[in-house]
Amino acid sequence: MMRSLSFGLFFLSLFFQSADAMSYQTDIRADSDEIYAAALEALESYGIEKADATDKTIETKWITDQSERKRSFLLFKTVKKFERKYQMKVNITEGDRFTHVSVISTFLFRSADASIQTPWRALKTTYEDSSLEKQLFTKILAQAEYRRTHPRQ
């Protein structure tokens, strides 16, 4: 059964739920195949490691960049630079009335001046980390809207 996507209600239904596990998710009135196709297009620039059309899951390749952590202790403030490695996974599941979309990230860090053999470790995620996830989530929803308003011939 094909469900229509009403984008007026689509964006009103966006209640971003961010948990400690770093996840953005929402339920959308759309066909899961439609959302999966939009997610594939949105993730192209990240590099796709795995994509499973049956399970409707997509994983990005590991992305490495730089990150800063700021700490304050009384009058002292420190800034430490880290190398950050992250991977994002998109899960799309079809329900009775809605399609559930979630983006879950794994973030790993090591000191920016550490040797290449230094192991990566998990640190408490920051707003900067979660904003990367939120950007991808928003990009998927925007791509779904674009595909709906600009159908392919």
Side-chain angles (χ1 to χ4, degrees), residues 51-66:
D52 186 337
T54 305
D55 289 340
K56 304 275 191 292
T57 59
I58 307 166
E59 279 184 26
T60 66
K61 292 182 178 183
W62 284 96
I63 301 161
T64 305
D65 64 6
Q66 299 290 317

Side-chain angles (χ1 to χ4, degrees), residues 32-99:
S32 62
D33 291 332
E34 217 177 327
I35 300 300
Y36 181 76
L40 280 173
E41 290 173 5
L43 285 162
E44 282 177 355
S45 64
Y46 292 84
I48 297 174
E49 179 81 19
K50 288 189 234 176
D52 186 337
T54 305
D55 289 340
K56 304 275 191 292
T57 59
I58 307 166
E59 279 184 26
T60 66
K61 292 182 178 183
W62 284 96
I63 301 161
T64 305
D65 64 6
Q66 299 290 317
S67 175
E68 288 185 348
R69 300 290 170 138
K70 298 175 184 174
R71 285 189 166 180
S72 297
F73 183 71
L74 298 176
L75 300 174
F76 302 100
K77 293 183 180 182
T78 61
V79 176
K80 186 166 182 177
K81 294 185 182 203
F82 285 91
E83 193 174 2
R84 173 177 54 198
K85 178 168 88 167
Y86 62 97
Q87 184 178 45
M88 298 187 192
K89 184 175 183 179
V90 177
N91 294 309
I92 301 165
T93 53
E94 193 163 339
D96 293 337
R97 297 180 3 213
F98 298 97
T99 296

